[in-house]
């Protein structure tokens, strides 16, 4: 996160938010190999390898985004205070 609320919290996937945009590169390479003029089984295998690399990069990126948006703790029973946020009763816990 840009400004961590809890700096002591362990991050399981630090700096993996950069893998999402980088997944375009193996996908583009796979697409270029897929549109080859001549058929070659080795090219098809390498193409699928790059496709799975792109999928894995996207999966790790999605898990990092999930890690970033998860709250550090559940919302405690905070009463109404002047200037404080009000949360309805059903919103106090993350499912």
């Amino acid at each position: 996160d840009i400004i961590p609320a809890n700096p002591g919290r362990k991050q399981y996937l630090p700096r993996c938010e950069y893998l999402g945009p980088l997944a375009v590169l193996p996908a583009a390479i796979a697409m270029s190999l897929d549109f080859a003029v001549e058929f070659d089984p080795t090219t098809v295998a390498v193409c699928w390898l790059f496709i799975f690399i792109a999928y894995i990069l996207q999966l790790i990126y999605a898990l990092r985004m999930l890690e970033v948006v998860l709250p550090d703790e559940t919302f405690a029973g905070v009463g109404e205070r002047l200037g404080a946020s009000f949360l309805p009763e059903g919103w106090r816990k993350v499912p």
Side-chain angles (χ1 to χ4, degrees):
D1 202 5
I2 297 172
I3 302 171
N6 186 3
R9 179 181 174 196
K10 182 179 185 212
Q11 295 183 2
Y12 295 102
L13 298 168
R15 294 184 183 84
C16 286
E17 60 268 12
Y18 302 114
L19 294 180
L22 286 179
V24 174
L25 297 175
I29 293 170
M31 185 177 62
S32 298
L33 290 173
D34 193 30
F35 289 115
V37 176
E38 297 177 2
F39 177 77
D40 184 20
T42 307
T43 306
V44 173
V46 172
C47 175
W48 276 105
L49 176 73
F50 279 112
I51 289 170
F52 282 118
I53 289 172
Y55 280 145
I56 289 169
L57 290 175
Q58 282 290 318
L59 177 67
I60 294 172
Y61 171 75
L63 290 174
R64 173 61 180 157
M65 292 296 109
L66 178 65
E67 181 183 16
V68 168
V69 300
L70 284 177
D72 291 335
E73 58 190 36
T74 59
F75 298 107
V78 180
E80 287 191 48
R81 293 187 320 241
L82 186 61
S85 298
F86 171 74
L87 297 173
E89 192 63 37
W91 290 7
R92 296 195 190 276
K93 295 190 178 176
V94 177

